[in-house]
């Protein structure tokens, strides 16, 4: 029992040669966000508040692919999406196609709390944001030089980075061609939390994938795919969106706990193992305060903490973990 | 060779006072569309092609509220959505916010077959439709006189239903009110999707098929919710919520979209079969009973063994089903 939280900044095949100037700011942000989440849980904030708060911080960090720092569509624009869900009530909210809202995750929460709907997208979502008076920015606020360059490289390679459905006739699966510069394969952010009262919540936010078609919706805002919480657990997933959708990844972790009575760690490991290698990562917490960070990619930017004192921050699967954990690709603390 | 089976629906939540001639007309349309599917299955057409063809028929007929005859947004426009899923390989495609594409289900199929993504929405989806050369029509094609009148009634009713716009928790909801009236047959208090049942018109069509090779597929298409906010996305395009297919079964849901999303209803039927080992009809019954909390919905399903099943917890569902051994049924009430 006790509170716990876990967060991620995306999963993918991040080269171990990732330069320090790309690695360190991300690790520092993960640590800072973990501290913010821990402090909020210690102060008695609800799991939902904590998940939203942490994801807002991650959105504001330009090094991750959400909010400021979102990757660009084929048109060079930003289309952000996000989702929140509360476990006990199954209440949820989601948004897609945002181009001016500073913190997509908070708009998703407002959809949940202030509309009869769950999911608003594009112009309707932007109009709702204005109605609610949330902070908006000029679209240029979200666009970093780095992402302009990424889009240029992706277009040069004439392909979509990060994810894609299965190879089509006459089209090569473009897995190999990622620019070697940094973690271009990753970036979606998410946070799951269970508070001391046992309430569960999850939140996920993303800019999507580099060079995506305008209008593309990924797994993040799809309840059950990138984001899900119920009375047993809360899950936030990241990776190749199309794989996560078809495997209903977040929901399946919960379904295995519910219908098969698997413990969190086993449920998460089974779901991750069931998806093609290199496509899925997730963070999850259970009602009992267990935490799990599982991925079948070579890396996932991640961090977790429990009330019992387990703290972990890491990127790759082995001995790189930053703290007192063994850095397994699936790790659990009770 | 496995026995084929097909199930279709034209939405759940039917006014108990629906005039007899309208009931007869509904049954005629259902029987006609069902026969289209049966003929295709007899001719050896793959499940995926059958669900697309049958949903196209249902979309094109103005009796049901998808494609032509779609519900109207608050602004009086049509925003349609659809999804399709192939149980083999769990490939899927979805669209939202479509305003000129004559058959959204076919656009969803193109997203699956011809794009690197699985879900496109609004302008991006429209652009893709043009690129793909799908038949488009003026938005006014979809708007029927009947629905203009319905929107007016819905707006008036929206003012009367004091809690329609307030997010609902626990049992203190419109739906709970409707539930209370459910048994005294009082149509005045019965509410579906925030609208009195006498005004509400079921908004969705769907089809689930298993072909004689044992392949399962499902498709769902909708105009959404009468008087919805622009940009609102419901359950129909969400893989795992309104639509799902895997190796074991195919499912299409209809009803109060938000309740279907919270419960990831379509995936849960499959998950209960897969993880709990229940047969199809028991899985359907379990999900309708246990998953819908305060919401009203219905669903149709087929298993890879050639069974058909349906379930709903509201007043009526337009539906039909047929199996290879000659069983054929079209119905509205329990």
């Amino acid at each position: 029992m006790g509170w716990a939280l876990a967060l991620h900044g995306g999963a993918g095949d991040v080269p171990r040669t990732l330069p320090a100037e790309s690695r360190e700011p991300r690790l520092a942000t993960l640590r800072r966000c973990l501290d913010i989440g821990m402090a909020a849980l210690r102060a008695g904030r609800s799991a939902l508040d904590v998940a939203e708060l942490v994801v807002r911080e991650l959105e504001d960090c330009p090094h991750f692919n959400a909010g400021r720092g979102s990757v660009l569509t084929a048109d060079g624009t930003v289309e952000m999406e996000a989702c929140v869900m509360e476990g006990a009530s199954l209440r949820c909210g989601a948004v897609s196609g945002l181009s001016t809202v500073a913190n997509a995750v908070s708009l998703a929460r407002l959809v949940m709390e202030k509309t009869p709907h769950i999911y608003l997208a594009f112009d309707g979502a932007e109009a709702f944001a204005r109605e609610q008076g949330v902070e908006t920015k000029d679209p240029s606020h979200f666009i970093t030089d780095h992402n302009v360059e990424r889009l240029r490289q992706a277009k040069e390679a004439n392909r979509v980075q990060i994810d894609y459905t299965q190879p089509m006739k006459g089209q090569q699966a473009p897995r190999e061609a990622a620019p070697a510069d940094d973690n271009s394969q990753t970036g979606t952010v998410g946070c799951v939390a269970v508070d001391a009262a046992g309430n569960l919540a999850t939140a996920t936010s993303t800019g999507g994938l580099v060079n995506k078609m305008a209008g593309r919706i990924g797994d993040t805002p799809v309840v059950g795919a990138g984001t899900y919480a119920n009375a047993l657990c809360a899950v936030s997933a990241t990776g190749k969106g199309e794989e996560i959708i078809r495997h209903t990844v977040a929901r399946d972790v919960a379904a295995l706990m519910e219908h098969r009575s698997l413990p969190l760690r086993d449920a998460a490991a089974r779901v991750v193992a069931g998806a093609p290698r290199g496509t899925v990562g997730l963070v999850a917490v259970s009602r009992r305060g267990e935490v799990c960070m599982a991925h079948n990619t070579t890396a996932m930017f991640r961090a977790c903490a429990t009330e019992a004192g387990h703290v972990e921050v890491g990127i790759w699967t082995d001995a790189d973990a930053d703290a007192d954990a063994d850095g397994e690709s699936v790790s659990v603390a009770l | 060779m496995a026995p084929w089976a097909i199930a279709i629906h034209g939405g759940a939540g039917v006014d108990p006072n629906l005039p007899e001639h309208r009931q007869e007309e509904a049954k005629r349309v259902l029987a006609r569309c069902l026969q289209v599917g049966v003929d295709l299955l007899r001719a050896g057409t793959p499940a995926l092609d059958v669900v697309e063809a049958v949903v196209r028929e249902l979309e094109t007929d103005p009796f049901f509220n998808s494609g032509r005859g779609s519900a109207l947004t608050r602004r009086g426009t049509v925003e349609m959505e659809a999804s399709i899923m192939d149980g083999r390989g769990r490939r899927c495609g979805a669209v939202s916010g479509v305003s000129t594409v004559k058959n959204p289900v076919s656009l969803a199929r193109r997203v699956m077959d011809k794009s690197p993504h699985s879900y496109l929405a609004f302008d991006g989806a429209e652009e893709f439709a043009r690129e793909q050369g799908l038949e488009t029509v003026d938005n006014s094609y979809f708007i029927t006189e009947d629905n203009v009148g319905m929107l007016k009634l819905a707006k008036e009713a929206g003012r009367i239903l004091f809690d329609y716009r307030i997010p609902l928790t626990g049992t203190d909801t419109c739906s709970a009110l409707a539930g209370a009236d459910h048994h005294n047959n009082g149509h005045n208090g019965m509410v579906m999707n925030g609208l009195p049942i006498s005004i509400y018109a079921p908004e969705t069509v769907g089809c689930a098929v298993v072909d004689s090779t044992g392949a399962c597929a499902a498709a769902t298409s909708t105009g959404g919710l009468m008087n919805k906010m622009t940009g609102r996305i419901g359950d129909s395009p969400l893989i795992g919520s309104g639509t799902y297919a895997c190796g074991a079964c195919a499912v299409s849901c209809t009803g109060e979209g938000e309740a279907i999303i919270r419960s990831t209803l379509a995936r849960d039927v499959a998950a209960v079969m897969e993880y709990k080992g229940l047969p199809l009809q028991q899985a359907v019954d379990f999900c309708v009973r246990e998953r819908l909390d305060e919401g009203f919905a219905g669903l149709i399903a087929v298993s890879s063994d050639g069974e058909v099943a349906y379930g709903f917890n509201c007043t009526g569902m337009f539906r039909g089903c047929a199996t290879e051994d000659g069983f054929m049924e079209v119905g509205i009430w329990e």
Side-chain angles (χ1 to χ4, degrees):
Chain A
M1 296 295 280
W3 57 255
L5 85 158
L7 52 118
H8 68 78
D13 292 325
V14 180
R16 279 168 191 282
T17 52
L18 185 70
E21 66 264 28
S22 294
R23 190 179 64 228
E24 286 310 321
R26 290 177 175 87
L27 281 172
T29 301
L30 291 174
R31 281 188 208 102
R32 189 170 57 79
C33 290
L34 191 65
D35 286 344
I36 288 169
M38 289 165 72
L41 283 164
R42 284 195 185 113
R45 301 282 297 273
S46 74
L48 183 64
D49 286 349
V50 172
E52 181 191 356
L53 185 69
V54 168
V55 168
R56 283 178 66 98
E57 288 294 324
L58 288 162
E59 285 174 340
D60 290 342
C61 168
H63 299 293
F64 292 113
N65 172 19
R68 184 152 181 258
S70 284
V71 299
L72 308 182
T73 69
D75 298 343
T77 56
V78 162
E79 290 181 356
M80 297 169 286
E81 37 193 15
C83 185
V84 295
M85 188 159 186
E86 191 178 54
S89 64
L90 296 178
R91 291 196 309 159
C92 46
V95 289
S96 279
L98 298 181
S99 51
T100 71
V101 175
N103 292 104
V105 68
S106 294
L107 190 65
R109 181 158 179 187
L110 286 169
V111 171
M112 171 174 110
E113 293 182 340
K114 307 282 188 192
T115 81
H117 305 317
I118 284 175
Y119 191 177
L120 293 179
F122 290 86
D123 295 352
E126 285 282 335
F128 175 67
R130 272 152 193 78
E131 214 180 283
Q132 293 293 318
V134 302
E135 187 184 3
T136 56
K137 300 273 192 190
D138 188 83
S140 63
H141 162 82
F142 302 100
I143 299 176
T144 61
D145 290 347
H146 185 67
N147 282 324
V148 172
E149 173 57 21
R150 270 193 198 176
L151 177 63
R152 196 189 63 74
Q153 288 183 22
K155 288 202 163 189
E156 221 160 68
N158 190 24
R159 64 194 179 73
V160 170
Q161 285 183 30
I162 298 182
D163 62 0
Y164 48 83
T165 51
Q166 60 244 112
M168 288 169 292
K169 283 193 189 90
Q171 185 178 333
Q172 290 291 320
R175 179 189 296 244
E176 264 68 53
D181 65 326
D182 67 358
N183 66 321
S184 61
Q185 300 259 334
T186 73
T188 295
V189 303
C191 178
V192 291
V194 55
D195 60 32
N199 299 306
L200 289 151
T202 174
T204 314
S205 182
T206 190
L209 71 158
V210 180
N211 201 21
K212 67 181 178 182
M213 292 166 68
R216 180 261 190 181
I217 290 177
D219 61 295
T220 298
V222 176
V223 171
T227 309
Y228 197 75
N230 67 4
L232 298 173
C233 65
V235 184
S236 173
T238 175
K240 292 180 168 37
E242 284 69 13
E243 290 295 342
I244 295 169
I245 290 174
R246 77 160 63 122
H247 286 94
T248 54
V249 163
R251 176 64 180 113
D252 256 40
V253 173
L256 280 164
M257 291 183 71
E258 185 175 0
H259 302 315
R260 272 282 168 87
S261 305
L262 292 189
L264 179 73
R265 176 196 174 118
D266 295 355
R270 180 166 160 179
V271 170
V272 167
R277 227 183 143 62
T279 60
V280 173
L282 63 84
V283 296
V285 292
S286 76
R287 186 183 166 77
R288 295 164 50 204
E290 297 157 306
V291 57
C292 173
M293 307 192 289
H295 55 103
N296 67 13
T297 50
T298 60
M300 178 165 72
F301 289 93
R302 63 191 186 274
C304 69
T306 67
E307 186 165 8
H310 174 93
V311 175
E312 184 183 331
V313 178
I315 302 176
W316 292 281
T317 47
D318 48 25
D320 64 284
D322 180 56
D324 54 308
D326 55 6
E328 289 177 289
S329 65
V330 176
S331 60
V332 156
L334 290 170
Chain B
M1 295 289 274
W4 56 254
I6 177 171
I8 65 174
H9 71 78
V14 185
D15 180 3
N17 298 318
L18 187 71
E20 196 67 36
H21 72 275
R22 294 285 287 168
Q23 295 185 34
E24 289 309 315
E25 196 185 343
K27 287 183 189 170
R28 266 199 306 277
V29 175
L30 287 167
R32 186 176 65 75
C33 295
L34 190 59
Q35 192 61 49
V36 168
V38 167
D39 292 346
L40 287 169
L41 283 163
R42 284 196 180 127
T45 311
L48 187 65
D49 293 338
V50 176
V51 294
E52 183 189 352
V54 170
V55 169
R56 283 177 66 97
E57 286 293 325
L58 288 160
E59 282 175 345
T60 305
D61 195 300
F63 188 89
F64 293 116
N65 175 6
S66 62
R68 185 151 185 247
S70 279
L72 305 179
T73 68
R74 225 169 258 186
R75 290 190 200 155
T77 56
V78 163
E79 291 179 356
M80 297 168 289
E81 38 192 12
S83 66
I84 189 166
M85 188 161 189
D86 184 355
R88 292 233 160 121
R90 290 193 268 192
R91 299 162 64 229
C92 51
V95 291
S96 280
V98 172
S99 52
T100 71
V101 177
K102 194 171 174 198
N103 291 107
V105 70
S106 293
L107 184 60
R109 173 90 190 257
R110 293 294 179 98
V111 170
M112 175 173 103
D113 287 344
K114 305 284 185 190
S115 89
H117 305 317
S118 29
Y119 191 178
L120 292 177
F122 291 86
D123 295 352
E126 286 282 328
E127 200 179 304
F128 179 67
R130 275 159 190 73
E131 237 175 77
Q132 292 289 316
L134 285 185
E135 188 180 356
T136 57
V137 290
D138 192 82
N139 195 251
S140 60
Y141 162 86
F142 302 104
I143 300 173
T144 60
E145 286 279 328
D146 272 6
N147 281 338
V148 173
M150 285 294 188
L151 177 62
K152 194 163 162 285
L153 288 172
K155 287 193 169 184
E156 280 160 14
R159 284 200 290 272
I160 297 160
L161 288 163
F162 60 94
D163 55 354
Y164 169 46
R165 293 210 57 203
I166 309 299
L168 314 168
T169 50
T171 56
D172 183 22
T173 69
C174 306
S175 299
L177 289 174
D181 283 346
H182 198 248
H183 298 292
N184 65 23
N185 211 15
H187 56 91
N188 286 332
M190 203 177 294
V191 174
M192 190 81 187
N193 266 319
L195 297 175
I197 198 78
S198 57
I199 295 177
Y200 176 76
E203 68 237 23
T204 305
V205 301
C207 181
V209 164
V210 54
D211 64 26
S212 53
T213 71
C216 296
T220 311
S221 179
T222 190
L225 183 57
M226 188 63 77
N227 200 24
K228 67 183 175 183
M229 293 167 72
T230 56
R232 179 259 188 182
I233 290 177
D235 62 295
S236 298
L238 300 187
I239 296 303
S241 291
T243 307
Y244 190 77
C246 59
C249 65
V251 185
S252 172
C253 302
T254 175
E256 294 186 318
E258 281 68 16
I260 295 169
I261 294 172
R262 280 196 297 275
S263 60
T264 57
L265 192 61
R267 172 61 185 137
D268 214 44
V269 170
V272 165
M273 288 182 75
E274 193 177 336
Y275 300 143
K276 253 176 128 77
L278 293 189
L280 184 72
Q281 184 68 55
Q282 282 182 41
V284 168
D285 292 344
F286 175 86
C287 290
V288 169
R289 195 176 60 241
E290 303 292 330
R291 281 295 170 271
L292 285 170
D293 49 62
E294 79 273 26
F296 283 158
L299 62 91
I300 54 159
V302 299
S303 74
S304 59
D305 299 334
E307 301 158 294
V308 292
Y310 63 84
F312 54 95
N313 66 351
C314 45
T315 55
M317 175 167 71
F318 294 115
R319 66 190 185 271
C321 54
T323 58
E324 184 161 4
D325 58 18
F327 171 77
M328 197 182 228
E329 180 188 86
V330 169
I332 302 176
W333 317 111
E334 270 187 63

